[in-house]
Amino acid sequence: MPVPAPRGDALPEPLIRPADLADLDALVALEHAAFATDRAERRAIRHAIRSPSMDVLAALIPGPDGDREPVLVGAAVLERRRGSRIARLASIAVAPNRGGLGLGGKLLDAAEAQARAHGCDRLRLEVRADNGAGIRLYERRGYTRFAVQPAYYEDGMEAWRYERGL
């Protein structure tokens, strides 16, 4: 029986798994759909997928109308430094047509679990000061703002830096 396209809050439970090079085209497309500026370039995404100190997590749902190919609807990028117990969430991207359905929170949960699996006990991130949805997500999850970075983004917007113990 075909799987209907999600409507409203009917998003199928996503499969969140490590991205691989077969996901590269979809990850680049997601980056362009989700961000107007400060987009990661294809080579940076490829590097992140291959890097032993980074994790790229891909969120997939079943394709529309029973299509066997899953659809990439979100991604998260986690960075770690050797000898540090602090991980950095470099990015969370959610397909614009999937916003407001809890996918960002599920990607954040997966990133936190991945950081813990690598022995990290804190997670840090930056968020645009005008990204109300992101700020609400992080603050609801117990992240505390500890710094403001002026003119952090390409367009001059400041970043709010957050951290939380894992």
Side-chain angles (χ1 to χ4, degrees), residues 17-75:
R17 61 156 173 77
D20 58 37
L21 290 176
D23 298 315
L24 186 57
D25 289 341
L27 288 165
V28 171
L30 175 65
E31 188 78 9
H32 282 268
F35 302 116
T37 62
D38 297 278
R39 296 176 179 138
E41 295 181 14
R42 182 180 191 84
R43 64 188 156 123
I45 297 169
R46 182 184 309 111
H47 168 77
I49 291 169
R50 291 178 171 165
S51 174
S53 64
M54 298 177 79
D55 296 292
V56 180
L57 302 173
L60 301 127
I61 61 170
D65 300 322
D67 186 355
R68 293 201 184 281
E69 280 300 309
V71 177
L72 188 132
V73 292

Side-chain angles (χ1 to χ4, degrees), residues 6 14 19 38 41 56 58 60 62-63 73-74 87 94 108 122 127 129 133 141 152:
D38 297 278
E41 295 181 14
V56 180
L60 301 127
V73 292
V94 173
L108 182 58
R122 303 199 71 68
V127 61
R141 297 297 186 92
Y152 182 82

